[in-house]
Amino acid sequence: MNRILNKGWIWIIVFSFLLLFYYFFNPVEFSWMPQCVFHRITGMQCMGCGSQRMIYSLLHGDIKGAWEANRFLMLCLPYLALLLWSEFHRKKYQRLYAALHSVPVIIIISAMLVAWLILRNILGM
């Protein structure tokens, strides 16, 4: 059992379950789906607002709907996939893992997130 957990298979199972869940349940149609607390309190959209709708749309092949739900997250999907891949191969590709988790990269991503938060509320995206 410990070997399975070390290989990360538990995360693959959890991720697969979440994808199946979002395939069958449209977050727009079900009021019991998680909602953004930041949006409910402030009326503004946070960086992640629309991510559930984006995932649902992508799983159903609706690229335009996914783009409209959360443009920034859609653009970040390749980077997030690379982060996930590097996590599973961190010992083999130590330099790549270190570069992806370096302070400059974290600062740049953080600045981009703040810029997205501001822009999406100013421009209504």
Side-chain angles (χ1 to χ4, degrees), residues 2-123:
N2 194 21
R3 190 173 122 197
I4 292 173
L5 294 177
N6 287 342
K7 293 286 185 180
W9 291 107
I10 191 75
W11 293 112
I12 293 171
I13 292 168
V14 169
F15 186 69
S16 299
F17 173 77
L18 286 172
L19 288 179
L20 278 171
F21 178 82
Y22 279 108
Y23 182 84
F24 290 110
F25 296 102
N26 185 347
V28 175
E29 295 176 4
F30 296 98
S31 61
W32 49 264
M33 294 290 276
Q35 296 182 5
C36 179
V37 175
F38 180 80
H39 180 68
R40 292 184 92 183
I41 292 172
T42 66
M44 295 187 304
Q45 293 189 350
C46 75
M47 295 86 92
C49 278
S51 59
Q52 293 180 94
R53 288 177 280 131
M54 186 207 73
I55 292 168
Y56 179 84
S57 295
L58 279 178
L59 291 173
H60 288 88
D62 181 11
I63 304 297
K64 183 178 181 238
W67 177 255
E68 290 171 357
N70 193 319
R71 291 166 176 83
F72 183 76
L73 185 56
M74 186 105 167
L75 291 173
C76 287
L77 285 177
Y79 176 72
L80 294 172
L82 184 60
L83 274 177
L84 183 64
W85 183 85
S86 74
E87 190 65 39
F88 285 106
H89 298 91
R90 68 174 12 171
K91 289 184 181 176
K92 188 173 182 181
Y93 299 100
Q94 293 176 1
R95 288 179 54 197
L96 174 64
Y97 181 85
L100 291 173
H101 293 82
S102 67
V103 172
V105 171
I106 292 169
I107 290 171
I108 290 168
I109 296 295
S110 299
M112 290 170 63
L113 281 168
V114 171
W116 170 239
L117 171 70
I118 294 167
L119 279 175
R120 83 179 307 187
N121 286 294
I122 289 173
L123 301 176

